[in-house]
Amino acid sequence: MYIRPFMFSSDGALGVSPSKATTLSVILSPVGPYFKSGVDAVRLFLDTSNVRAWPGGVGQFKIGGNYAPTVAPQSAAKQRHDCSQVVYALPQGPDPNDALISECGAMNMVFVFRRFSASHAGGQAGWPGIEVVTPPLDGTILPGVTRDSILQLLKGVDVTMTSPFMDAYVRLLIKTC
């Protein structure tokens, strides 16, 4: 079920001012797979040229202005690279390798790293350590229910969660793409 509440000003005037009257509506719609590939892996294009939302803006809100800048990059990713979605990187300077993973067009970004410890006595490989990394809620990404649910569920599992600053991991990902 897709549930999308939205609100708009229902004042009888057009202008820039606080609304005196608003209308709250909710769309309820059954859904199937979001992508044509169904539940198969989705191809992603890492975009270091376009930015979905800048710090200090309104990236943390679900508003139309956050989607307009993604239309052209999304079309280009599909046509040129046969990718279903775009992962946006937020520049930190003139070098694209200094960019940080920000958000993906239609999904939350959560990276899972598996780390192996040194071999134990007897030559057996060590157990993997799992680290889950997601971009921080810095005002450029949506603080979605899915992201929060994943992080809440992982609190009960033996994993290391990293969110506030994941520079090293993201820089590594960008340099290897």
Side-chain angles (χ1 to χ4, degrees), residues 38-127:
V39 293
D40 293 338
V42 175
R43 290 177 50 100
L44 303 173
F45 176 74
L46 177 61
D47 191 334
T48 58
S49 300
N50 297 289
V51 175
R52 189 196 73 81
W54 289 95
V58 292
Q60 73 272 27
F61 301 111
K62 195 151 192 92
I63 61 171
N66 286 329
Y67 296 93
T70 69
V71 174
Q74 176 65 43
S75 289
K78 182 65 177 164
Q79 291 173 359
R80 296 182 193 146
H81 307 286
D82 193 32
C83 291
S84 300
Q85 282 294 302
V86 175
V87 175
Y88 294 94
L90 189 61
Q92 302 297 299
D95 185 351
N97 288 327
D98 289 334
L100 300 176
I101 296 292
S102 176
E103 186 170 65
C104 186
M107 62 189 78
N108 300 108
M109 295 302 302
V110 177
F111 301 94
V112 178
F113 296 96
R114 188 169 166 173
R115 306 201 186 285
F116 291 91
S117 60
S119 294
H120 293 288
Q124 294 180 356
W127 289 98

Side-chain angles (χ1 to χ4, degrees), residues 1-6 25-29:
M1 176 65 66
Y2 178 81
I3 304 170
R4 176 62 60 213
F6 64 98
S25 298
V26 179
I27 296 172
L28 299 171
S29 176

